[in-house]
Amino acid sequence: QVQLVESGGGLVQPGGSLRLSCAASRSTFNIYTMSWYRQAPGKQRELVARITRGGITNYADSVKGRFTISRDNAKNTVYLQMNSLKPEDTAVYYCNANLNSMVNSWGQGTQVTVSS
């Protein structure tokens, strides 16, 4: 299993920006599909954005046009650039690395709070 460490969360005002980072422990990082999920209080965890090993991306409708997922295979890191943040984006954000049904890892999560 790959170890994942997220960083970059915090408190930001509505309309502001944050960039989340997720560093992976494995040098085979480039073969994983990497995703960001989030979980708000009282809600189920939901997919925010995903990037395949080939660089194909997809996004939840609620974040399209505002969030961008990217990866740097040389640094074993995936990023989530979040712009035009809204209070409803407040959640714990989790990084996920997936290879197949048997290889699926989660980070510990990082809190993002959007509030004035």
Side-chain angles (χ1 to χ4, degrees):
Q1 297 289 339
V2 60
Q3 305 298 316
L4 302 171
V5 179
E6 300 106 332
S7 61
L11 173 64
V12 63
Q13 292 186 342
S17 298
L18 282 175
R19 188 176 82 155
L20 305 183
S21 299
C22 172
S25 61
R26 299 288 292 270
S27 61
T28 54
F29 168 83
N30 62 299
I31 68 174
Y32 289 83
T33 290
M34 300 299 298
S35 303
W36 287 97
Y37 286 76
R38 67 186 180 188
Q39 187 167 18
K43 295 187 177 182
Q44 289 189 333
R45 191 173 297 190
E46 63 174 357
L47 176 67
V48 176
R50 173 171 291 150
I51 185 167
T52 69
R53 61 182 183 179
I56 297 172
T57 59
N58 62 285
Y59 298 90
D61 287 342
S62 59
V63 307
K64 281 181 181 177
R66 300 188 298 123
F67 291 11
T68 302
I69 189 171
S70 61
R71 65 192 299 163
D72 186 336
N73 291 333
K75 295 183 178 179
N76 293 350
T77 301
V78 64
Y79 304 98
L80 185 67
Q81 178 67 44
M82 305 186 294
N83 298 328
S84 302
L85 282 160
K86 304 175 181 180
E88 51 263 44
D89 295 317
T90 296
V92 178
Y93 284 70
Y94 296 91
C95 180
N96 174 269
N98 180 268
L99 185 59
N100 53 47
S101 60
M102 298 295 291
V103 182
N104 189 60
S105 299
W106 294 92
Q108 82 286 353
T110 185
Q111 177 70 46
V112 171
T113 302
V114 184
S115 175
S116 56

